[in-house]
């Protein structure tokens, strides 16, 4: 049985990370055409609900990841999370969202806090501000409001490249010293990484 899937809500991003194969932004010419409509989101939720209930799955993981920044599609994200939160399979669903975190505001943090039993926000962060800026530009997410609301740091999704491996001690020390206790390290594939 399939017990996990990942989807992208859009093909737009507010950053231009050097290592990202989406950084060429080929999809952005037609980014509106590549986004889920409200009707498509509802149909996706219904199809997934039917699949999970038909096969009586005890746990299902849905990742909101991919070619765009999901927080640029908050309405679609809200529709999806609320559908499953108020459904009979609420205890079966685990949703995680990977975001660069630069769009976080009080409303978005409140949303994730209210629905924390079903959805988790993961922040893409490649280490200390200097290392992160080398790949992701000057934007560094302000996570203080998140930490204040949740009482902890968010889970981090950190991209590993040849260059970050050269600075691994500095990066790991930064995460430890700043109490980032949940980190997923992901090797980037299919990108020229000297």
């Amino acid at each position: 049985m399939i017990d996990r899937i990942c989807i992208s809500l859009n093909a737009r991003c507010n950053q231009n990370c050097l290592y990202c194969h989406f950084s060429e932004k080929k999809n952005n010419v037609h980014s509106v055409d590549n986004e889920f409509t409200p009707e498509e989101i509802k149909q996706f939720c219904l199809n997934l609900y039917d699949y999970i209930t038909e096969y009586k799955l005890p746990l299902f993981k849905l990742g909101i990841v991919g070619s765009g920044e999901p927080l640029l599609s908050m309405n679609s994200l809200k529709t999806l999370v609320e559908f499953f939160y108020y459904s009979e399979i609420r205890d079966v669903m685990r949703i995680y969202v990977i975001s660069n975190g630069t769009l976080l505001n009080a409303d978005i943090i409140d949303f994730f806090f209210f629905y924390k039993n079903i959805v988790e926000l993961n922040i893409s962060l490649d280490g200390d501000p200097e290392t992160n800026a080398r790949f992701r530009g000057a934007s560094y997410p302000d996570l203080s409001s998140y930490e204040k609301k949740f009482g902890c740091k968010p889970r981090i999704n950190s991209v590993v490249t040849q260059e970050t491996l050269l600075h691994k001690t500095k990066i790991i020390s930064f995460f430890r010293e700043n109490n980032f206790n949940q980190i997923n390290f992901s090797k980037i594939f299919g990108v020229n990484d000297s």
Side-chain angles (χ1 to χ4, degrees):
M1 289 298 121
I2 297 170
D3 64 359
R4 64 184 64 211
I5 60 172
C6 295
I7 64 168
S8 296
L9 296 179
N10 62 47
R12 296 181 294 136
C13 190
N14 61 328
Q15 289 193 317
N16 194 21
C17 302
L18 293 178
Y19 50 65
C20 181
H21 55 287
F22 295 108
S23 66
E24 294 177 20
K25 302 203 182 297
K26 292 177 183 175
N27 290 336
N28 283 10
V29 175
H30 304 289
S31 62
V32 173
D33 298 332
N34 292 329
E35 290 187 34
F36 280 102
T37 65
E39 295 77 24
E40 289 170 331
I41 287 289
K42 289 175 188 167
Q43 190 59 56
F44 170 80
C45 291
L46 288 168
N47 290 346
L48 187 54
Y49 175 88
D50 289 345
Y51 176 82
I52 293 168
T53 55
E54 178 181 347
Y55 292 101
K56 298 178 177 63
L57 298 178
L59 180 65
F60 195 91
K61 293 184 181 180
L62 172 61
I64 311 297
V65 299
S67 62
E69 168 54 45
L71 300 186
L72 288 171
S73 297
M74 264 318 280
N75 288 337
S76 293
L77 182 59
K78 285 178 181 178
T79 298
L80 192 147
V81 170
E82 288 170 356
F83 176 91
F84 289 107
Y85 184 83
Y86 294 107
S87 76
E88 291 119 21
I89 61 168
R90 169 180 163 168
D91 294 334
V92 172
M93 289 300 296
R94 293 297 171 266
I95 303 168
Y96 63 93
V97 177
I98 299 179
S99 166
N100 60 43
T102 59
L103 299 174
L104 285 178
N105 60 39
D107 290 339
I108 292 173
I109 291 169
D110 286 347
F111 169 81
F112 280 98
F113 188 78
F114 182 84
Y115 294 104
K116 67 184 174 190
N117 292 336
I118 193 171
V119 64
E120 178 183 48
L121 180 63
N122 293 239
I123 302 296
S124 293
L125 195 65
D126 296 337
D128 60 283
E130 180 186 348
T131 302
N132 200 69
R134 189 174 301 124
F135 298 106
R136 296 179 177 269
S139 297
Y140 195 83
D142 179 1
L143 303 176
S144 59
S145 296
Y146 179 98
E147 186 175 6
K148 184 176 179 181
K149 184 81 170 182
F150 282 83
C152 64
K153 302 271 191 186
R155 180 181 298 273
I156 298 300
N157 190 57
S158 185
V159 174
V160 177
T161 66
Q162 292 294 325
E163 188 171 338
T164 57
L165 288 174
L166 296 174
H167 304 284
K168 64 184 178 278
T169 303
K170 177 183 178 184
I171 293 167
I172 290 172
S173 293
F174 170 81
F175 285 139
R176 282 186 179 150
E177 291 166 9
N178 289 280
N179 298 316
F180 288 103
N181 298 319
Q182 300 179 72
I183 306 168
N184 299 324
F185 290 98
S186 303
K187 170 74 174 107
I188 195 87
F189 291 98
V191 176
N192 183 14
D193 179 13
S194 59

